[in-house]
Amino acid sequence: MQNKLRENLKSAMKARDKVQVSTLRMLLSSIKNEEIHKGSELSEEDYIGLLTREAKKRREAAALFREGDRDEMATNEEAELAIIQTYLPQ
C-alpha cells in the first residue's frame, strides 16, 4: 500500500496536483505514525482501518464546514475524501 501511495505521490507531484499531493502526504504521514505507535508494519486490515478513519474525518469536516457556510473548505475536504476513497476497497 505504501509503495502504491508513493508512486501516486510522484505522479501527482509531476502533474502539479496540489490537492492530491497534500492528501497523499497526509496519508503517508498517518501510516508512518500508526506504524510507530504499533511498533511494526501495518497489515492490510490496518491500512483499511486507517483509510476509513481518515475518510470519516473528511466527511465530518465537510459537513461541519457546510453548516458554517464555509463552502470552499467543504469542497476541499470533499476533494480529499474522493482521493482517499480511491484506496478503499469497494
Side-chain angles (χ1 to χ4, degrees):
M1 176 66 83
Q2 276 187 334
N3 290 335
K4 182 178 179 182
L5 289 170
R6 284 192 185 101
E7 295 282 324
N8 291 345
L9 177 61
K10 287 179 191 176
S11 299
M13 290 171 86
K14 288 178 183 175
R16 298 181 188 260
D17 185 348
K18 292 181 182 180
V19 174
Q20 191 166 10
V21 168
S22 68
T23 303
L24 292 174
R25 282 183 175 159
M26 178 272 309
L27 287 175
L28 287 168
S29 174
S30 296
I31 289 170
K32 188 69 174 169
N33 289 336
E34 191 72 20
E35 285 178 341
I36 291 170
H37 179 72
K38 187 176 178 183
S40 63
E41 285 198 25
L42 301 179
S43 67
E44 196 65 30
E45 295 87 29
D46 293 332
Y47 283 120
I48 292 170
L50 182 124
L51 291 171
T52 303
R53 280 195 312 270
E54 294 297 330
K56 181 181 176 189
K57 287 179 192 176
R58 299 306 174 280
R59 249 186 253 104
E60 291 173 352
L64 291 173
F65 283 133
R66 291 257 183 247
E67 287 176 18
D69 291 328
R70 302 284 311 268
D71 291 333
E72 184 178 316
M73 296 295 289
T75 304
N76 240 8
E77 293 294 325
E78 290 165 350
E80 289 182 3
L81 175 61
I83 293 168
I84 293 169
Q85 286 177 332
T86 62
Y87 297 100
L88 285 170
Q90 301 299 328

